[in-house]
Coordinates of all heavy atoms in Angstrom, one line a residue:
E220 N -17.0 6.6 38.1 CA -17.3 5.2 37.6 C -16.0 4.4 37.5 O -16.0 3.2 37.8 CB -17.9 5.4 36.2 CG -18.4 4.1 35.6 CD -19.0 4.3 34.2 OE1 -19.7 5.3 34.0 OE2 -18.8 3.4 33.3
L221 N -14.9 5.0 37.1 CA -13.7 4.3 37.0 C -13.2 3.8 38.4 O -12.7 2.7 38.5 CB -12.6 5.3 36.4 CG -11.3 4.6 36.1 CD1 -10.9 4.8 34.7 CD2 -10.2 5.3 37.0
L222 N -13.3 4.7 39.4 CA -12.9 4.2 40.8 C -13.7 3.0 41.2 O -13.1 2.0 41.7 CB -13.1 5.4 41.8 CG -12.9 5.0 43.2 CD1 -11.4 4.6 43.4 CD2 -13.3 6.1 44.2
M223 N -15.0 3.0 41.0 CA -15.8 1.8 41.4 C -15.4 0.6 40.6 O -15.4 -0.5 41.1 CB -17.3 2.1 41.2 CG -17.8 3.1 42.2 SD -17.6 2.6 43.9 CE -16.5 3.9 44.5
S224 N -15.0 0.8 39.3 CA -14.6 -0.4 38.5 C -13.3 -0.9 39.0 O -13.1 -2.2 39.1 CB -14.4 0.1 37.1 OG -13.9 -0.9 36.3
L225 N -12.4 -0.1 39.4 CA -11.1 -0.5 39.9 C -11.3 -1.3 41.2 O -10.7 -2.4 41.5 CB -10.1 0.7 40.2 CG -9.6 1.4 39.0 CD1 -8.9 2.7 39.4 CD2 -8.7 0.6 38.2
I226 N -12.2 -0.8 42.1 CA -12.4 -1.4 43.4 C -13.1 -2.8 43.2 O -12.7 -3.8 43.8 CB -13.3 -0.5 44.3 CG1 -12.6 0.7 44.7 CG2 -13.9 -1.3 45.5 CD1 -13.4 1.8 45.4
R227 N -14.1 -2.9 42.3 CA -14.7 -4.2 42.0 C -13.8 -5.2 41.4 O -13.8 -6.4 41.8 CB -15.9 -4.0 41.0 CG -17.0 -3.1 41.5 CD -18.0 -3.8 42.5 NE -17.4 -3.7 43.8 CZ -17.5 -2.7 44.7 NH1 -18.1 -1.6 44.3 NH2 -17.0 -2.8 45.9
T228 N -12.9 -4.7 40.6 CA -11.9 -5.7 39.9 C -11.0 -6.3 40.9 O -10.6 -7.4 40.8 CB -11.1 -4.9 38.8 OG1 -12.0 -4.3 37.9 CG2 -10.2 -5.8 38.1
A229 N -10.6 -5.5 42.0 CA -9.5 -5.9 42.9 C -10.1 -6.4 44.2 O -9.3 -6.6 45.2 CB -8.6 -4.7 43.2
E230 N -11.4 -6.7 44.3 CA -12.0 -7.2 45.5 C -11.3 -8.4 46.2 O -11.2 -8.4 47.4 CB -13.5 -7.5 45.3 CG -14.4 -6.3 45.2 CD -15.8 -6.7 45.0 OE1 -16.1 -7.9 44.9 OE2 -16.7 -5.8 44.9
K231 N -10.8 -9.3 45.4 CA -10.3 -10.6 45.9 C -8.8 -10.5 46.0 O -8.2 -11.6 46.3 CB -10.7 -11.8 45.0 CG -12.3 -11.9 44.9 CD -12.9 -12.1 46.3 CE -14.4 -12.3 46.1 NZ -15.1 -12.3 47.4
T232 N -8.1 -9.4 45.7 CA -6.7 -9.3 45.9 C -6.4 -9.2 47.4 O -7.2 -9.0 48.2 CB -6.1 -8.1 45.2 OG1 -6.7 -6.9 45.8 CG2 -6.4 -8.1 43.7
E233 N -5.1 -9.3 47.7 CA -4.7 -9.2 49.1 C -5.0 -7.9 49.7 O -5.6 -7.8 50.8 CB -3.1 -9.4 49.2 CG -2.6 -9.4 50.6 CD -1.1 -9.7 50.6 OE1 -0.6 -10.8 50.0 OE2 -0.3 -8.9 51.1
I234 N -4.8 -6.8 48.9 CA -5.1 -5.5 49.4 C -6.7 -5.3 49.4 O -7.2 -4.6 50.3 CB -4.4 -4.4 48.5 CG1 -3.0 -4.4 48.9 CG2 -5.1 -3.0 48.7 CD1 -2.1 -3.4 48.1
G235 N -7.4 -5.8 48.5 CA -8.8 -5.7 48.4 C -9.5 -6.4 49.6 O -10.4 -5.8 50.2
L236 N -9.0 -7.6 50.0 CA -9.6 -8.3 51.1 C -9.2 -7.5 52.4 O -10.1 -7.4 53.3 CB -9.0 -9.7 51.2 CG -9.5 -10.6 50.0 CD1 -8.7 -11.9 50.1 CD2 -11.0 -10.9 50.2
E237 N -8.0 -7.1 52.5 CA -7.5 -6.3 53.7 C -8.4 -5.1 54.0 O -8.7 -4.8 55.1 CB -6.1 -6.0 53.5 CG -5.4 -5.3 54.7 CD -4.0 -4.9 54.4 OE1 -3.2 -5.9 54.2 OE2 -3.6 -3.7 54.3
N238 N -8.7 -4.4 52.9 CA -9.5 -3.1 53.1 C -11.0 -3.3 52.8 O -11.7 -2.3 52.7 CB -8.9 -2.1 52.1 CG -7.5 -1.6 52.6 OD1 -7.3 -0.9 53.5 ND2 -6.5 -2.1 51.8
E239 N -11.4 -4.6 52.7 CA -12.9 -4.9 52.5 C -13.5 -4.1 51.3 O -14.5 -3.4 51.4 CB -13.6 -4.6 53.8 CG -13.2 -5.4 55.0 CD -13.9 -5.1 56.3 OE1 -14.6 -4.0 56.3 OE2 -13.8 -5.8 57.3
F240 N -12.8 -4.3 50.2 CA -13.3 -3.6 49.0 C -14.7 -4.0 48.6 O -15.5 -3.2 48.1 CB -12.4 -4.0 47.8 CG -11.1 -3.1 47.7 CD1 -10.7 -2.3 48.7 CD2 -10.3 -3.2 46.6 CE1 -9.6 -1.6 48.6 CE2 -9.2 -2.5 46.5 CZ -8.8 -1.6 47.5
E241 N -15.1 -5.2 49.0 CA -16.4 -5.7 48.6 C -17.6 -4.8 49.1 O -18.6 -4.7 48.5 CB -16.6 -7.1 49.1 CG -17.8 -7.8 48.5 CD -17.8 -9.3 48.8 OE1 -16.8 -9.8 49.5 OE2 -18.8 -10.0 48.5
S242 N -17.3 -4.1 50.3 CA -18.4 -3.3 50.9 C -18.2 -1.8 50.6 O -19.0 -1.0 51.0 CB -18.4 -3.5 52.4 OG -17.2 -3.1 53.0
I243 N -17.2 -1.5 49.8 CA -17.0 -0.1 49.4 C -18.0 0.3 48.3 O -17.9 -0.3 47.2 CB -15.6 0.2 49.0 CG1 -14.6 0.0 50.2 CG2 -15.4 1.7 48.5 CD1 -13.1 0.3 49.9
K244 N -18.8 1.3 48.5 CA -19.8 1.7 47.5 C -19.7 3.1 47.1 O -20.4 3.6 46.3 CB -21.2 1.4 48.0 CG -21.5 0.0 48.5 CD -21.3 -1.0 47.4 CE -21.6 -2.5 48.0 NZ -21.3 -3.5 47.0
S245 N -18.8 3.9 47.8 CA -18.7 5.3 47.5 C -17.2 5.8 47.7 O -16.4 5.1 48.4 CB -19.6 6.1 48.5 OG -19.1 6.0 49.8
Y246 N -17.0 6.9 47.1 CA -15.6 7.5 47.3 C -15.3 7.8 48.8 O -14.2 7.6 49.2 CB -15.5 8.8 46.5 CG -14.2 9.6 46.9 CD1 -13.0 9.2 46.5 CD2 -14.3 10.7 47.7 CE1 -11.8 9.9 46.9 CE2 -13.2 11.4 48.1 CZ -11.9 11.0 47.7 OH -10.8 11.6 48.1
S247 N -16.3 8.3 49.5 CA -16.0 8.7 50.9 C -15.6 7.4 51.7 O -14.7 7.5 52.6 CB -17.3 9.3 51.5 OG -18.4 8.4 51.4
T248 N -16.2 6.3 51.5 CA -15.8 5.1 52.2 C -14.4 4.6 51.8 O -13.6 4.2 52.6 CB -16.8 3.9 51.9 OG1 -18.1 4.4 52.2 CG2 -16.5 2.7 52.7
F249 N -14.2 4.7 50.5 CA -12.8 4.4 49.9 C -11.8 5.3 50.6 O -10.7 4.8 51.1 CB -12.8 4.6 48.4 CG -11.5 4.6 47.8 CD1 -10.9 3.3 47.6 CD2 -10.8 5.7 47.3 CE1 -9.6 3.2 47.0 CE2 -9.6 5.6 46.7 CZ -9.0 4.4 46.5
A250 N -12.0 6.6 50.7 CA -11.1 7.5 51.3 C -10.9 7.3 52.8 O -9.8 7.5 53.3 CB -11.5 9.0 51.1
E251 N -11.9 6.9 53.5 CA -11.8 6.6 54.9 C -11.0 5.3 55.2 O -10.3 5.2 56.2 CB -13.2 6.4 55.5 CG -14.0 7.7 55.6 CD -15.4 7.5 56.0 OE1 -15.8 6.3 56.2 OE2 -16.2 8.5 56.0
R252 N -11.2 4.3 54.3 CA -10.7 3.0 54.6 C -9.3 2.7 54.0 O -8.5 1.9 54.6 CB -11.7 2.0 54.0 CG -11.5 0.5 54.5 CD -12.6 -0.3 54.0 NE -13.9 0.0 54.6 CZ -15.1 -0.6 54.3 NH1 -15.1 -1.5 53.3 NH2 -16.2 -0.2 54.8
V253 N -9.0 3.3 52.9 CA -7.7 3.0 52.2 C -6.7 4.1 52.5 O -7.0 5.2 52.3 CB -7.9 2.8 50.7 CG1 -6.6 2.5 50.0 CG2 -9.0 1.8 50.4
P254 N -5.6 3.7 53.1 CA -4.6 4.8 53.5 C -3.8 5.3 52.3 O -3.7 4.6 51.3 CB -3.7 4.0 54.5 CG -3.7 2.6 54.0 CD -5.1 2.4 53.5
I255 N -3.4 6.5 52.4 CA -2.4 7.1 51.5 C -1.2 6.3 51.5 O -0.7 5.9 52.6 CB -2.2 8.6 51.8 CG1 -3.4 9.4 51.6 CG2 -1.0 9.1 50.9 CD1 -3.9 9.5 50.1
S256 N -0.6 6.0 50.4 CA 0.6 5.1 50.4 C 1.8 5.8 49.7 O 1.6 6.7 48.8 CB 0.3 3.8 49.7 OG 0.0 3.9 48.4
T257 N 3.0 5.4 50.0 CA 4.2 5.8 49.4 C 4.9 4.5 48.9 O 4.5 3.4 49.3 CB 5.1 6.5 50.3 OG1 5.5 5.7 51.4 CG2 4.4 7.8 50.8
Y258 N 6.0 4.6 48.2 CA 6.8 3.5 47.8 C 7.3 2.7 49.0 O 7.2 1.5 49.0 CB 7.9 3.8 46.9 CG 8.6 2.6 46.3 CD1 8.1 1.9 45.2 CD2 9.8 2.1 46.9 CE1 8.7 0.8 44.8 CE2 10.4 1.0 46.5 CZ 9.8 0.3 45.4 OH 10.4 -0.9 44.9
E259 N 7.8 3.4 50.0 CA 8.3 2.8 51.2 C 7.3 1.9 51.9 O 7.6 0.8 52.4 CB 8.9 3.8 52.1 CG 10.2 4.5 51.6 CD 9.9 5.4 50.4 OE1 8.8 6.0 50.3 OE2 10.9 5.6 49.6
F260 N 6.0 2.4 51.9 CA 4.9 1.7 52.5 C 4.6 0.4 51.7 O 4.3 -0.6 52.3 CB 3.7 2.6 52.5 CG 2.4 2.0 53.0 CD1 2.3 1.9 54.4 CD2 1.5 1.5 52.2 CE1 1.1 1.4 54.9 CE2 0.3 1.0 52.7 CZ 0.1 0.9 54.1
L261 N 4.7 0.5 50.4 CA 4.4 -0.7 49.5 C 5.6 -1.6 49.3 O 5.3 -2.8 48.8 CB 3.9 -0.2 48.2 CG 2.5 0.5 48.2 CD1 2.2 1.0 46.7 CD2 1.4 -0.3 48.7
E262 N 6.8 -1.2 49.6 CA 7.9 -2.0 49.1 C 7.9 -3.4 49.6 O 8.3 -4.3 48.7 CB 9.2 -1.3 49.6 CG 10.5 -2.0 49.1 CD 11.7 -1.2 49.5 OE1 11.7 -0.5 50.5 OE2 12.8 -1.4 48.8
P263 N 7.6 -3.8 50.8 CA 7.6 -5.2 51.1 C 6.7 -6.1 50.2 O 7.0 -7.2 49.8 CB 7.1 -5.2 52.6 CG 7.4 -3.9 53.1 CD 7.2 -2.9 52.0
R264 N 5.5 -5.5 49.9 CA 4.6 -6.3 49.0 C 5.1 -6.3 47.6 O 4.9 -7.3 46.9 CB 3.2 -5.6 49.1 CG 2.5 -6.0 50.3 CD 1.1 -5.4 50.4 NE 0.2 -6.1 51.2 CZ -0.7 -5.6 52.0 NH1 -0.9 -4.2 52.0 NH2 -1.5 -6.3 52.7
I265 N 5.8 -5.2 47.1 CA 6.4 -5.2 45.8 C 7.4 -6.2 45.7 O 7.6 -7.0 44.7 CB 6.9 -3.8 45.5 CG1 5.7 -2.8 45.2 CG2 7.8 -3.8 44.2 CD1 6.1 -1.4 45.0
E266 N 8.2 -6.4 46.7 CA 9.3 -7.4 46.7 C 8.7 -8.8 46.6 O 9.2 -9.7 46.0 CB 10.2 -7.3 48.0 CG 11.1 -6.1 47.9 CD 12.0 -6.1 46.6 OE1 12.7 -7.1 46.4 OE2 12.0 -5.1 45.8
K267 N 7.6 -9.0 47.3 CA 6.9 -10.3 47.2 C 6.4 -10.6 45.8 O 6.6 -11.7 45.2 CB 5.7 -10.4 48.2 CG 6.0 -10.6 49.6 CD 4.9 -10.3 50.5 CE 3.7 -11.2 50.3 NZ 2.5 -10.9 51.2
S268 N 5.9 -9.5 45.2 CA 5.4 -9.6 43.8 C 6.6 -9.9 42.8 O 6.5 -10.7 41.9 CB 4.7 -8.3 43.4 OG 4.1 -8.4 42.1
R269 N 7.7 -9.2 43.1 CA 8.9 -9.5 42.2 C 9.4 -10.9 42.3 O 10.1 -11.4 41.4 CB 10.0 -8.5 42.6 CG 9.7 -7.1 42.1 CD 10.9 -6.2 42.5 NE 12.1 -6.5 41.7 CZ 13.3 -6.3 42.2 NH1 13.5 -5.7 43.3 NH2 14.4 -6.6 41.4
K270 N 9.1 -11.5 43.4 CA 9.5 -12.9 43.6 C 8.5 -13.9 43.0 O 8.6 -15.1 43.1 CB 9.7 -13.2 45.1 CG 11.0 -12.6 45.6 CD 11.1 -12.9 47.1 CE 12.5 -12.4 47.7 NZ 12.7 -10.9 47.5
G271 N 7.5 -13.4 42.3 CA 6.5 -14.2 41.6 C 5.2 -14.4 42.2 O 4.3 -15.0 41.6
L272 N 5.0 -13.9 43.4 CA 3.6 -14.0 44.0 C 2.7 -13.1 43.3 O 3.0 -11.9 43.0 CB 3.7 -13.7 45.5 CG 4.5 -14.6 46.4 CD1 4.5 -14.2 47.8 CD2 3.9 -16.0 46.3
Q273 N 1.5 -13.5 43.1 CA 0.5 -12.8 42.3 C -0.7 -12.4 43.2 O -0.9 -12.9 44.4 CB 0.0 -13.5 41.1 CG 1.2 -13.8 40.1 CD 1.7 -12.5 39.5 OE1 1.1 -11.5 39.4 NE2 3.0 -12.6 39.1
N274 N -1.7 -11.6 42.7 CA -2.9 -11.3 43.3 C -2.7 -10.5 44.6 O -3.5 -10.6 45.5 CB -3.8 -12.5 43.6 CG -5.3 -12.2 43.7 OD1 -5.8 -11.4 42.9 ND2 -5.9 -12.7 44.6
I275 N -1.6 -9.7 44.6 CA -1.4 -8.9 45.8 C -2.0 -7.5 45.6 O -2.9 -7.1 46.4 CB 0.1 -8.7 46.0 CG1 0.8 -10.0 46.3 CG2 0.4 -7.7 47.2 CD1 2.3 -10.0 46.4
F276 N -1.7 -6.8 44.5 CA -2.2 -5.5 44.2 C -3.4 -5.6 43.2 O -4.3 -4.8 43.3 CB -1.2 -4.6 43.6 CG 0.1 -4.6 44.3 CD1 1.2 -5.4 43.8 CD2 0.3 -3.8 45.4 CE1 2.4 -5.4 44.4 CE2 1.6 -3.8 46.0 CZ 2.6 -4.6 45.5
W277 N -3.3 -6.5 42.3 CA -4.1 -6.5 41.1 C -4.3 -8.0 40.7 O -3.4 -8.8 40.8 CB -3.5 -5.7 40.0 CG -4.4 -5.4 38.9 CD1 -4.3 -5.8 37.6 CD2 -5.5 -4.5 38.9 NE1 -5.3 -5.2 36.8 CE2 -6.0 -4.4 37.6 CE3 -6.1 -3.7 39.9 CZ2 -7.1 -3.7 37.3 CZ3 -7.2 -3.0 39.6 CH2 -7.7 -2.9 38.3
P278 N -5.5 -8.4 40.2 CA -5.8 -9.8 40.0 C -5.1 -10.4 38.8 O -4.8 -11.6 38.8 CB -7.4 -9.8 39.7 CG -7.7 -8.4 39.3 CD -6.8 -7.5 40.1
S279 N -4.8 -9.6 37.8 CA -4.1 -10.1 36.6 C -2.6 -10.3 36.9 O -2.0 -9.6 37.8 CB -4.3 -9.3 35.4 OG -3.8 -8.0 35.5
T280 N -1.9 -11.1 36.2 CA -0.5 -11.4 36.4 C 0.3 -10.1 36.2 O 0.2 -9.4 35.2 CB 0.0 -12.5 35.4 OG1 -0.8 -13.7 35.7 CG2 1.5 -12.8 35.6
I281 N 1.3 -9.9 37.1 CA 2.2 -8.8 37.0 C 3.6 -9.3 36.9 O 4.1 -9.9 37.9 CB 2.1 -7.8 38.1 CG1 0.7 -7.1 38.1 CG2 3.2 -6.7 38.0 CD1 0.5 -6.1 39.2

Side-chain angles (χ1 to χ4, degrees):
E220 184 178 327
L221 184 124
L222 174 62
M223 290 301 116
S224 174
L225 292 171
I226 291 169
R227 297 285 80 81
T228 303
E230 282 180 358
K231 303 302 182 184
T232 62
E233 184 177 303
I234 286 180
L236 293 170
E237 181 181 297
N238 292 284
E239 299 178 347
F240 278 10
E241 194 170 354
S242 62
I243 294 178
K244 308 297 182 186
S245 67
Y246 168 74
S247 58
T248 307
F249 172 74
E251 288 169 5
R252 196 173 291 175
V253 181
I255 294 291
S256 64
T257 61
Y258 185 80
E259 290 70 27
F260 178 80
L261 293 178
E262 186 175 23
R264 281 177 159 148
I265 288 174
E266 285 305 304
K267 284 167 61 179
S268 184
R269 288 181 66 206
K270 289 178 171 62
L272 293 178
Q273 298 296 333
N274 204 42
I275 298 173
F276 312 100
W277 195 245
S279 62
T280 300
I281 294 178

